């Protein structure tokens, strides 16, 4: 069993910053990829940023240059540093881990519970 626990969301003014974190606990597994997604009211969930085991990083065009994804594999934690926040960044942010186990074929996907980010003056 694996649980992802998110923290760091909140209310911030336009131009401000927040840092989200997501830590995995439970059964040990090999992390192949980590990512952040978000879902705004009335919108579909969209990818924000991903980082794979080899270190390759991708960002959505809407956040490129403002957000930074990073990880600490020893702590099974992924972070999202969000700078220059805009009202359109307002959404529930979800982390996702994709991993595998030594003794089980295939990959498993785990989602965090979501954390609210509100950007408003």
């Amino acid at each position: 069993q694996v649980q992802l626990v998110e923290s760091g969301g909140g209310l911030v003014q336009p131009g401000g910053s927040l840092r989200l974190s997501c830590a995995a606990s439970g059964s040990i597994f090999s992390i192949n990829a980590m990512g952040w997604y978000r879902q705004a009211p009335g919108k579909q969930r969209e990818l924000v940023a991903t980082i794979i085991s080899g270190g390759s990083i991708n960002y959505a065009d809407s956040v490129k240059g403002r957000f930074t994804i990073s990880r600490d594999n020893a702590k099974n934690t992924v972070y999202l540093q969000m700078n220059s926040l805009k009202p359109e960044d307002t959404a529930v942010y979800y982390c996702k881990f994709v991993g595998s186990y030594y003794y089980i074929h295939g990959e498993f996907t785990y989602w965090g519970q979501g954390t609210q980010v509100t950007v408003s003056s």
Side-chain angles (χ1 to χ4, degrees), residues 65-85:
R66 300 186 297 118
F67 291 11
T68 302
I69 188 171
S70 61
R71 65 184 179 186
D72 186 337
N73 287 333
K75 297 180 179 180
N76 295 323
T77 300
V78 63
Y79 304 92
L80 185 68
Q81 178 66 47
M82 305 184 293
N83 298 324
S84 302
L85 283 162

Side-chain angles (χ1 to χ4, degrees), residues 28-78:
I28 298 173
F29 71 110
S30 177
I31 300 171
N32 298 328
M34 306 175 183
W36 289 95
Y37 295 73
R38 67 186 182 186
Q39 188 167 19
K43 304 293 184 180
Q44 293 187 335
R45 188 173 298 186
E46 65 176 350
L47 185 147
V48 176
T50 60
I51 182 168
I52 64 174
S53 60
S56 180
I57 296 173
N58 288 290
Y59 296 98
D61 289 341
S62 59
V63 308
K64 194 170 297 183
R66 300 186 297 118
F67 291 11
T68 302
I69 188 171
S70 61
R71 65 184 179 186
D72 186 337
N73 287 333
K75 297 180 179 180
N76 295 323
T77 300
V78 63

Side-chain angles (χ1 to χ4, degrees), residues 8-9 30 33 38 65 78 86 88 101 121:
S30 177
R38 67 186 182 186
V78 63
K86 305 174 181 179
E88 50 263 43
Y101 297 88
S121 59

